[in-house]
């Protein structure tokens, strides 16, 4: 984990100067007045200054005054909140819930997660301010939302590595690089010399990490850069017979699949390959760079498992460290994944 100073949070003094009021008046507005009336026009000026400067109240300071609500938010950028046990993100939710309870924090679930409606700032202001801080997750993120939250100084931790130009975020992410590199080295030891990485079309950081692992593993195994192929897939529909057999004609003997939430792309690849007479793993080795489809009576996919519950717990731990003033953002933690030994890769068999 590494830490360094984050963006400076505007002070109440700066808000007071912008609004033309005293700092005490700003404090009254921020803290609800404590029974002391504040003129409506003055309140509006202070609130406008707060919005202009991007001020977010420091939960650690509120805790020192006994005013913290001891509430952690969980926000997902996905259109459906992950309450279904079959949802890819559900184990993250379990980890967040368990760790929040263990540390004595309530959990507030934000369900207005459809970015088509504006995301975190759908109503023109940060909807997450109802909580002391927030854990965020989801593949279909709004980078503008993340940048604005960081600019405000609002405490949050993202599940997954995300890069935002001009700022650094606190996050907990799976280590995709190391196990991907290890798989490439294993395939090279089995005689594979041309390996294809099948990526998701969104081109997000997890795919970049997997491609980095592909190239690191190839270099360690003595493969040439020209021996590696990286292609994008928009889903199962674009995995056709011509495409798969074209890979094989081009010398590809192993495919590494970046999983989607339903793994439809990888399953389509297996179905098309088998229909074309390409047995897995005899003619084409296939591995998933993350959580694979469930095993069947005849197939256990070689892959690695993302410790999703543990990552959810770790995200809460980092967030509480920020809230309680133990450390300063950004806090960034990379968590190892667990190898799954399957029967979908093997030594190269020449046809």
């Amino acid at each position: 984990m590494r830490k360094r100073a984050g963006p400076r949070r505007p002070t109440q003094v700066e808000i007071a100067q912008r609004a033309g009021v005293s700092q005490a008046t700003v404090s009254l507005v921020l803290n609800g007045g404590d029974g002391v009336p504040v003129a409506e026009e003055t309140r509006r000026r202070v609130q406008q200054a707060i919005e202009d400067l991007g001020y977010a109240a420091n939960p650690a300071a509120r805790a020192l005054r006994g005013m913290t609500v001891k509430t952690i938010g969980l926000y997902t950028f996905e259109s459906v909140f992950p309450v279904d046990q079959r949802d890819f993100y559900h184990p993250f939710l379990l980890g967040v819930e368990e760790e929040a309870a263990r540390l004595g924090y309530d959990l507030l679930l934000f369900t207005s997660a459809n970015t088509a409606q504006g995301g975190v700032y759908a109503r023109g202001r940060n909807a997450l301010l109802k909580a002391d801080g927030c854990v965020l997750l989801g593949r279909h993120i709004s980078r503008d939302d993340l940048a604005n939250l960081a600019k405000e100084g609002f405490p949050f931790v993202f599940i997954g590595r995300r890069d935002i130009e001009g700022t650094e975020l606190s996050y907990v992410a799976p280590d995709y690089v190391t196990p991907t590199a290890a798989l490439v080295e294993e395939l090279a030891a089995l005689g594979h010399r041309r390996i294809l990485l099948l990526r998701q079309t969104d081109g997000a950081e997890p795919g970049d990490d997997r491609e980095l692992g592909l190239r690191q593993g190839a270099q360690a195994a003595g493969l040439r850069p020209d021996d590696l192929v990286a292609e994008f897939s928009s889903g199962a529909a674009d995995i056709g017979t011509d495409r798969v057999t074209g890979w094989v004609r081009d010398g590809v003997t192993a495919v590494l699949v970046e999983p989607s939430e339903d793994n439809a792309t990888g399953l389509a690849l297996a179905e098309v390959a088998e229909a074309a007479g390409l047995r897995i793993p005899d003619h084409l080795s296939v591995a998933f760079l993350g959580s694979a489809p469930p095993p069947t009576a005849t197939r256990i996919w070689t892959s690695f498992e993302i410790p999703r519950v543990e990552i959810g717990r770790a995200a809460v731990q980092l967030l509480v460290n920020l809230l309680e003033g133990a450390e300063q953002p950004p806090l960034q933690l990379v968590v190892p994944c667990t190898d799954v030994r399957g029967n979908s890769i093997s030594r190269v068999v020449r046809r």
Side-chain angles (χ1 to χ4, degrees), residues 279-344:
R279 295 192 307 274
I280 299 173
D282 295 338
H283 303 138
L284 189 66
S285 288
V286 177
F288 285 79
L289 302 181
S291 300
T296 67
T298 59
R299 174 73 65 219
I300 300 174
W301 295 100
T302 298
S303 60
F304 50 85
E305 193 61 39
I306 301 167
R308 287 174 283 177
V309 173
E310 291 77 7
I311 287 174
R313 292 195 187 107
V316 172
Q317 292 167 10
L318 260 63
L319 181 59
V320 169
N321 280 342
L322 295 175
L323 296 178
E324 297 184 354
E327 301 184 68
Q328 293 295 315
L331 305 181
Q332 298 173 349
L333 179 65
V334 177
V335 180
C337 295
T338 304
D339 288 339
V340 176
R341 308 310 303 167
N343 59 6
S344 63

Side-chain angles (χ1 to χ4, degrees), residues 184-259:
V184 172
E185 290 186 62
E186 181 178 358
L187 288 168
L190 292 171
H192 296 270
R193 291 295 176 267
R194 190 156 178 80
I195 300 171
L196 183 141
L197 171 62
L198 189 60
R199 292 191 56 175
Q200 300 295 310
T201 52
D202 60 10
E205 290 83 351
D208 294 340
D209 288 345
R210 290 172 169 109
E211 187 161 344
L212 176 61
L214 172 77
R215 302 196 181 284
Q216 287 185 356
Q219 183 177 20
L223 300 181
R224 301 171 305 166
D226 290 346
D227 295 328
L228 308 177
V229 183
E231 292 191 12
F232 285 89
S233 169
S234 60
D238 68 8
I239 305 298
T241 301
D242 289 345
R243 188 177 188 186
V244 175
T245 55
W247 293 338
V248 175
R249 285 196 303 271
D250 193 37
V252 170
T253 56
V255 179
L256 302 178
V257 181
E258 179 183 359

